[in-house]
Amino acid sequence: MAKLKSPIAKNSRQDKLIPFLSVILGFAVGALIMLVSGFNSFAAYTRLLEGAGLFGNVRRLGGTLLNMTPLILTGLSVAFGMRTGLFNIGASGQMLMGGFGAVAVGILFELPKVIHLPLAVVTALILGALWGMVPGILKSKFNVHEVVVTIMMNWIAVWTVYYFVPLYIRGAFDTESATIRSTASLRTEWLSDLFNGSPVNLGLFIAIAAAIAVWWILEKTTFGYELKAVGLNKDAAKYAGIHVDRNIIFSMMISGALAGLAGATFYLGFTNNIKIGELPMLGFDGIAVALLGMNTPLGVVLSAFLFGFMNAGKGFMQAATGVPNELVQVIMAVIIFFSAATMLIRRWMNHLSKRKEKTQKNLEKGGAQ
Amino acid sequence: MEYVIEMLNIRKEFPGIVANDNVTLQVKKGEIHALLGENGAGKSTLMSVLFGMYQPEAGVIKVDGEEVKMTNPNVANALGIGMVHQHFKLVDVFTVTENIILGMEPTKGIYLDTKQAAKRIKALSDQYGLSVDPDALIKDISVGMQQRVEILKMLYRNADILIFDEPTAVLTPQEIDELMNIMQRLKAEGKSIVLITHKLKEIKAVADRCTVLRKGKYIDTVDVGKTPEEEMARLMVGREVNFKVYKDESKAQDVVLKISNLNVLDNRKLSAVKNLNLEVKAGEIFSIAGIDGNGQKELVEAITGLRPVTSGKIEINGHDITQLSVRKKTESGIGHIPEDRHKHGLVLDYTLGENMILQSYYQSPFSNKGLLNKEAMNAYTERLIQEFDVRSGQGAITSVRSMSGGNQQKSIIAREVDRSPSLLIASQPTRGLDVGAIEYIHKRLIEERDKGKAVLLVSFELDEILNVSDRVGVIYEGSIIDVDRTSNTDENKLGLLMAGSVKGEVRHG
C-alpha cells in the first residue's frame, strides 16, 4: 500500500483514511435521512448488504461483482489519466466505442471461442485507445484541452453507433443490434454455475488484471516514471529529455483502452447487444470511483466494489423495507462530496487528534499526582 | 522593558524534524527587529506559529504583555499583527483600492463605497510616503509598487506590528533602497517591524536588533549596531564564513563550448539572442553578466535544447549539437542547473530519489529492460545525500516539496555535478539562498573547474561573478558585447557595459 501513493497526497498516512471516513460519513447521513423520514435505517442497511450478497447468497454476490466489473475499468481509465496529468471525462464515449467494436466483431464473425472472444476484446481495447488518442494528439500538437475534446468525442461516439448499428448489425429493431454469438460472450458456464446463475462473467478477471497492469506500469516501469513526471511537471519532464508530446498521446491511449475494455465487459458480458442513442453513464461514474480511490489501482478496485454492492443491493432493500432505492444515490453523492472536500476532513482529523492528545496528557498528569 | 511581541520557548515539530526548538523572540515597541537564519532554520515556521497557522507543541505567545492563544490568522490580525508575504496576494485585474478593501468592503446601502476607502488609502500613502495611486490596476504597476500595496493593506487594517517575509527577494537594487526608507518611516511613525531575511547587508542598513536562528534553535539576539557582519554570518552558519572565494589561477585548456552566430527567438517570437558568439574552455568558469531580460534565459535554453535555434551553431568538444534533442544534448556532456528550480529542475511531488535520476532513469543501473530499479535509485541517492550534504527529513524517500529551498538546490547540483558533464551550465545557481549555501555552491563550481570541466555561469549578481569566475562576458540586447578576464575588470566597468552605455570589446586570452 505504501507504494501506491497518490500524487496529491502530502500527509499521506492521514490522507489514506479520508476515503474510509467519507464512506462512514456517507452512511451516517443516509441513516439520518431515513431516521427523519421514519424508516428503520439499521434494517435498511442490513437488507442492502444482504441484497448485495454479502451475507452469503452467492447469486446476489455475483450481482455485486457484475456491477463492479466495468466500474473498475472506467475508474482505472480516469485514474490513469489523473496520475499522468490528464482529465479524461470521455471514458463513456471510449467505452461505448469499445463496446460497439466488440459487439460488431461478436456478430459479424464466426470463429471458435478461443479466437473469437479475444478478438472481440482486443477490438474493444483498440477502439477505446483510438478514441482516446484523438484528444491526446489534439492536446499535444495544438494544446487543445482534453476536457473539451473528450466530451465532444462522447457525442461523436453516440452518433457513430447510432449510424452504424442499424446499417450493419441490426437486430430485431432499428434501435438495437443483434445479439452477439455465444463464442464472443464473456459469460462462461462454470462461472455462472459457481454464482448460481448470476451473469457475472470473465470481465471481472480482465478488470483485476488491468488493475494489476496499471499498478505495474505506474510503479515499476520507466515508462510509468516518464508518464508521471509529465503529469506532475511538464517543464521538468522536458528538461529531463522526456518526449512530453508523445507521452501525452500514450497516456490518453492507455486511458481510452481501459475504458474500451469496460465496454467489452459490459456489452460482451452483460447486455449481449448494443442499443443506439445511449451513452453509458458508467464512464462518468468512473470519475467518482477514481476520486474515492485516490487514483490508485487498489483504491479504484475497493471503491468500485463499494459502488458495485450498493447498486446490486438497492433493489432488494427497497423491496424488503420500502426505503426508496434513490437513497443509495444520496449516500454515494455524500461520499463523493466528502472525499472531494479533503481539506474539510483533514481539519476535522487534526482537531480530533489534538483533543485526543490533550486528554491523554491530562490523564498522564492525573496519574502523576 | 516593553515588548510588543514575545514568543517564549516555542517548540514546533513536523514528522522527522523539529522546526522550532525552544525558540524565543522578543520584539520591542518601535524597533525594526531582524530574524536571521539560513533556509530551513525555522524562520517561516516561527512566523506561521505567530499567525496561528501552526499550533506550537510548547511555548507561550504574548502580545503587549498579555498571553494570547493564536488559533488562526484572524486572531493575529485582530491583535494588530500584519504580514507582507514574499509572494503577493493581490488580484491582478483589481485596482489598488479594491485589493486593499477585499474582505472588509465598506458599503453604502447595497453599493460598494470605494470612494471613501480610496480617500483613506491616499491619506495613509501620503503619511508613510508610499506614493501609491489608489486607482491604478495591480497589473499596471511595478513589483516594488505592488509590495507597497501589501504594506498599505496592513496599515489600512490598523496593523501596528508588520512582518516582512524576505521582502527584497523580488526587488531591484533601487527598489530595495526605497523599501529601506519606507521601513524607517514606518518605524518613525511608531510601528514595530519584524524583518525576515538572510541578507546581512539589509539588516545592517535598517535593523536595530537581530535574532539569529540556526537549524531550528535559538542562537542569540544581538544589537545590530555593535555587531559586525562577519559575526552575524558566523552566528547564522555556525562557523567562519568566507565572503571571498579562494581559488587558484585557472588552467584553461581546449574550447569545450563554442557558439557561433547564434540567433534565438523569445516566447513572443521576437529576437532574443542576436548573432551571439561565445567560447568556454575546459578548466575555466566563464560568467555571463547582464541585466535580466537581455537574452540570458533564451541563450541557456537554446544551448540545452529547451528552445529551438533559428540560426547559428553550437558545438561541444568539436561536435555540432545545434539541432540535437534535450536528451542527446544531455548525453553529449551538458549539465544544467536551471534558473527556475521549481519549474525545470525538480518534480516537486516526486521523492528525492526519483528526482536524482531525472535524466538517467532509463540507464543502467536505474533501469533494466524498461523496469525501474528502486533499490539502485535509493542507494545512489543516499550516496549523493552524504557527499553533497543534502538535508532531508527521510532520506531518499523524502518528498522534494517538503525540503527547504537551499537543499532543493543542493540536490539539483548534486545530480548535475555527479553526472560529470564536460560543460556545466549554472543559471542563477544561488538565487534566494543563504550565505552558507552560496559559499558551498561556489566551492563546488570551482571544484568542477579544477577537475577540468568548463563552467558557464549566468548571474545577475556582480559580486558572485567577480568572486567566482575567471572570464566574464557582458550580454546586452542578445549579444555578448564584451569579454575580459575577471581580474581586469570591476563592478563599475561591468555596470556601465551592462547598461549599454559604453562600447565593449572582445578580448581573447
Side-chain angles (χ1 to χ4, degrees):
Chain A
M1 192 63 198
K3 281 181 179 165
L4 304 178
K5 65 179 186 324
S6 146
I8 325 157
K10 282 194 197 95
N11 190 348
S12 52
R13 224 181 58 193
Q14 203 181 55
D15 283 4
K16 272 171 203 150
L17 282 173
I18 287 175
F20 295 99
L21 276 175
S22 306
V23 171
I24 293 169
L25 284 167
F27 278 96
V29 170
L32 204 68
I33 292 171
M34 285 189 275
L35 204 72
V36 172
S37 27
F39 292 106
N40 179 343
S41 50
F42 181 74
Y45 283 153
T46 313
R47 296 300 181 192
L48 181 69
L49 294 179
E50 192 185 341
L54 300 185
F55 294 155
N57 182 328
V58 285
R59 192 183 145 80
R60 294 187 185 283
L61 185 63
T64 293
L65 297 176
L66 175 74
N67 265 294
M68 78 184 267
T69 300
L71 282 176
I72 293 176
L73 287 161
T74 55
L76 285 173
S77 166
V78 176
F80 193 87
M82 290 290 187
R83 289 292 290 274
T84 56
L86 297 161
F87 190 17
N88 177 16
I89 55 173
S92 283
Q94 293 142 15
M95 175 179 168
L96 182 64
M97 281 314 286
F100 166 66
V103 168
V105 167
I107 294 165
L108 298 174
F109 291 86
E110 215 171 325
L111 293 161
K113 186 153 190 164
V114 280
I115 303 170
H116 200 180
L117 178 58
L119 184 69
V121 171
V122 168
T123 307
L125 183 140
I126 291 171
L127 268 173
L130 286 175
W131 226 245
M133 190 172 89
V134 176
I137 291 174
L138 289 174
K139 172 148 186 145
S140 68
K141 299 278 179 251
F142 306 107
N143 206 16
V144 188
H145 203 281
E146 71 276 9
V147 165
V148 177
V149 184
T150 49
I151 204 107
M152 279 167 36
M153 295 293 287
N154 280 347
W155 296 106
I156 300 176
V158 168
W159 296 110
T160 306
V161 169
Y162 199 100
Y163 180 76
F164 283 110
V165 163
L167 210 58
Y168 295 112
I169 50 173
R170 187 181 185 278
F173 308 99
D174 258 348
T175 55
E176 60 180 56
S177 76
T179 306
I180 56 167
R181 290 175 203 280
S182 65
T183 49
S185 173
L186 278 167
R187 294 196 200 179
T188 59
E189 222 163 275
W190 65 267
L191 206 54
S192 295
D193 286 348
L194 193 65
F195 285 94
N196 220 348
S198 155
V200 61
N201 59 68
L202 293 173
L204 181 65
F205 299 107
I206 295 180
I208 301 288
I212 294 169
V214 165
W215 171 80
W216 185 76
I217 290 174
L218 286 177
E219 302 301 329
K220 295 288 169 192
T221 66
T222 53
F223 179 51
Y225 177 91
E226 287 187 5
L227 290 174
K228 283 189 294 181
V230 171
L232 292 169
N233 185 346
K234 223 187 263 189
D235 293 301
K238 209 174 150 195
Y239 160 89
I242 294 169
H243 290 277
V244 172
D245 292 352
R246 205 169 65 191
N247 276 297
I248 287 174
I249 298 173
F250 282 153
S251 100
M252 272 310 296
M253 283 177 73
I254 292 175
S255 182
L258 289 163
L261 283 178
T265 66
F266 187 68
Y267 297 102
L268 294 181
F270 180 57
T271 63
N272 292 328
N273 71 354
I274 195 162
K275 289 193 175 62
I276 65 167
E278 242 177 52
L279 188 65
M281 287 300 125
L282 289 163
F284 293 110
D285 295 344
I287 299 171
V289 171
L291 179 70
L292 185 63
M294 295 177 75
N295 296 324
T296 66
L298 181 61
V300 164
V301 172
L302 292 177
S303 67
F305 172 72
L306 174 80
F307 286 15
F309 95 67
M310 284 169 69
N311 275 326
K314 65 185 179 187
F316 189 78
M317 176 187 76
Q318 181 170 19
T321 62
V323 176
N325 68 36
E326 282 79 8
L327 180 80
V328 164
Q329 303 294 331
V330 174
I331 296 173
M332 283 186 190
V334 174
I335 293 173
I336 297 305
F337 171 79
F338 281 116
S339 57
T342 45
M343 289 302 288
L344 189 72
I345 298 204
R346 225 175 266 157
R347 205 178 304 160
W348 286 349
M349 286 204 289
N350 283 335
H351 194 71
L352 280 178
S353 64
K354 229 169 270 154
R355 267 230 311 249
K356 215 164 104 189
E357 255 170 48
K358 246 184 219 164
T359 44
Q360 210 144 20
K361 266 186 200 156
N362 286 344
L363 280 177
E364 277 163 23
K365 265 187 205 161
Q369 277 164 2
Chain B
M1 189 64 58
E2 195 191 343
Y3 292 113
V4 282
I5 296 179
E6 285 181 274
M7 299 182 77
L8 305 172
N9 310 102
I10 301 291
R11 182 181 176 85
K12 177 70 203 164
E13 291 172 35
F14 293 111
I17 273 177
V18 182
N20 284 158
D21 181 5
N22 201 14
V23 173
T24 292
L25 173 73
Q26 291 172 309
V27 182
K28 288 183 201 166
K29 188 159 176 50
E31 75 165 344
I32 299 182
H33 193 112
L35 185 57
L36 175 67
E38 296 187 275
N39 289 308
K43 300 176 304 234
S44 307
T45 308
L46 188 65
M47 288 302 113
S48 300
V49 168
L50 178 59
F51 266 82
M53 287 181 270
Y54 296 135
Q55 301 304 316
E57 269 81 37
V60 175
I61 301 175
K62 289 184 186 172
V63 175
D64 292 327
E66 277 181 45
E67 192 174 332
V68 287
K69 277 266 172 282
M70 296 289 188
T71 44
N72 64 59
N74 295 334
V75 177
N77 289 332
L79 288 166
I81 305 174
M83 180 134 167
V84 177
H85 293 273
Q86 190 176 2
H87 303 284
F88 308 146
K89 300 175 189 306
L90 297 169
V91 183
D92 263 6
V93 294
F94 275 12
T95 65
V96 169
T97 304
E98 285 167 335
N99 267 288
I100 289 174
I101 60 175
L102 200 61
M104 45 180 299
E105 302 84 357
T107 50
K108 228 187 221 166
I110 57 163
Y111 295 103
L112 260 183
D113 185 16
T114 44
K115 277 216 185 91
Q116 204 58 39
K119 225 180 267 171
R120 201 176 143 219
I121 289 164
K122 186 86 183 86
L124 279 172
S125 167
D126 291 345
Q127 185 187 351
Y128 294 96
L130 299 175
S131 44
V132 169
D133 172 8
D135 300 318
L137 291 178
I138 295 297
K139 62 175 180 167
D140 295 336
I141 61 179
S142 70
V143 173
M145 202 56 98
Q146 290 179 10
Q147 188 172 53
R148 293 187 204 173
V149 175
E150 286 282 1
I151 298 172
L152 266 177
K153 216 195 256 175
M154 299 307 142
L155 297 173
Y156 187 84
R157 284 162 172 69
N158 300 317
D160 283 320
I161 302 151
L162 295 162
I163 297 164
F164 287 81
D165 184 10
E166 309 256 353
T168 58
V170 290
L171 302 182
T172 66
Q174 289 76 16
E175 285 174 329
I176 292 177
D177 288 345
E178 284 167 27
L179 177 68
M180 297 291 147
N181 288 334
I182 290 168
M183 288 168 80
Q184 296 286 14
R185 187 91 177 241
L186 288 165
K187 180 184 150 188
E189 298 276 340
K191 306 282 182 194
S192 314
I193 293 177
V194 178
L195 170 65
I196 306 174
T197 186
H198 51 244
K199 292 189 182 159
L200 297 165
K201 263 188 201 166
E202 290 161 14
I203 294 179
K204 268 292 187 197
V206 289
D208 301 306
R209 294 193 309 145
C210 171
T211 293
V212 186
L213 303 187
R214 183 167 77 227
K215 290 182 189 166
K217 289 199 170 64
Y218 171 82
I219 302 299
D220 203 357
T221 299
V222 296
D223 211 324
V224 173
K226 293 180 197 144
T227 318
E229 262 182 62
E230 287 75 16
E231 171 66 9
M232 284 195 278
R234 195 188 57 76
L235 288 172
M236 166 165 72
V237 184
R239 58 182 164 76
E240 295 298 328
V241 179
N242 295 315
F243 286 110
K244 202 81 193 152
V245 189
Y246 176 77
K247 63 180 204 288
D248 294 324
E249 206 37 41
S250 92
K251 299 178 192 73
Q253 298 144 18
D254 306 339
V255 173
V256 172
L257 172 72
K258 184 173 160 61
I259 297 177
S260 10
N261 295 318
L262 187 74
N263 283 288
V264 184
L265 301 180
D266 67 10
N267 289 340
R268 292 166 301 161
K269 303 281 170 217
L270 300 173
S271 176
V273 174
K274 295 169 204 156
N275 291 322
L276 183 139
N277 293 291
L278 184 69
E279 276 184 7
V280 184
K281 294 171 189 157
E284 74 164 350
I285 297 180
F286 186 98
S287 304
I288 293 185
I291 297 166
D292 193 7
N294 272 285
Q296 295 96 321
K297 182 169 154 255
E298 288 80 7
L299 170 65
V300 169
E301 289 182 353
I303 300 173
T304 53
L306 290 167
R307 187 178 284 276
V309 170
T310 333
S311 69
K313 199 163 160 191
I314 303 170
E315 287 166 87
I316 291 266
N317 296 322
H319 300 287
D320 185 351
I321 61 153
T322 318
Q323 299 300 340
L324 295 184
S325 67
V326 178
R327 174 153 298 167
K328 283 272 163 5
K329 283 186 173 176
T330 307
E331 286 171 352
S332 72
I334 297 180
H336 178 197
I337 300 162
E339 182 180 337
D340 188 337
R341 55 179 168 264
H342 287 174
K343 189 172 177 207
H344 286 113
L346 296 165
V347 179
L348 289 176
D349 289 306
Y350 263 179
T351 64
L352 181 58
E354 285 167 325
N355 272 292
M356 284 298 194
I357 60 167
L358 204 54
Q359 297 106 324
S360 46
Y361 66 90
Y362 59 95
Q363 291 164 338
S364 173
F366 308 123
S367 83
N368 179 23
K369 299 193 181 83
L371 290 184
L372 220 48
N373 181 346
K374 292 203 173 166
E375 283 75 38
M377 171 181 97
N378 288 338
Y380 173 72
T381 306
E382 295 297 345
R383 176 169 78 73
L384 292 193
I385 288 175
Q386 288 298 318
E387 216 169 287
F388 289 80
D389 187 32
V390 180
R391 284 176 216 152
S392 59
Q394 300 153 286
I397 58 162
T398 315
S399 163
V400 172
R401 191 182 284 284
S402 69
M403 288 163 53
S404 71
N407 282 307
Q408 288 176 346
Q409 186 72 344
K410 272 189 186 173
S411 67
I412 294 177
I413 286 164
R415 180 180 74 205
E416 298 308 307
V417 167
D418 198 71
R419 287 193 296 113
S420 192
S422 46
L423 171 68
L424 181 63
I425 301 173
S427 213
Q428 315 288 358
T430 59
R431 183 152 77 172
L433 301 187
D434 51 73
V435 255
I438 290 173
E439 189 192 17
Y440 177 87
I441 286 163
H442 287 165
K443 215 176 72 196
R444 277 286 174 179
L445 291 180
I446 291 164
E447 267 177 38
E448 282 309 290
R449 179 199 78 161
D450 291 344
K451 277 191 234 158
K453 312 288 182 191
V455 179
L456 179 64
L457 170 69
V458 178
S459 177
F460 303 144
E461 306 268 350
L462 285 180
D463 282 350
E464 174 166 83
I465 287 176
L466 292 168
N467 258 330
V468 178
S469 59
D470 302 302
R471 288 197 302 149
V472 51
V474 176
I475 192 166
Y476 178 69
E477 293 190 342
S479 307
I480 300 283
I481 57 160
D482 183 271
V483 177
D484 205 344
R485 301 198 67 79
T486 311
S487 47
N488 288 342
T489 187
D490 58 43
E491 204 158 324
N492 240 332
K493 270 192 212 168
L494 289 177
L496 290 170
L497 287 162
M498 281 158 58
S501 47
V502 288
K503 265 204 147 82
E505 75 179 286
V506 177
R507 302 170 193 82
H508 295 282

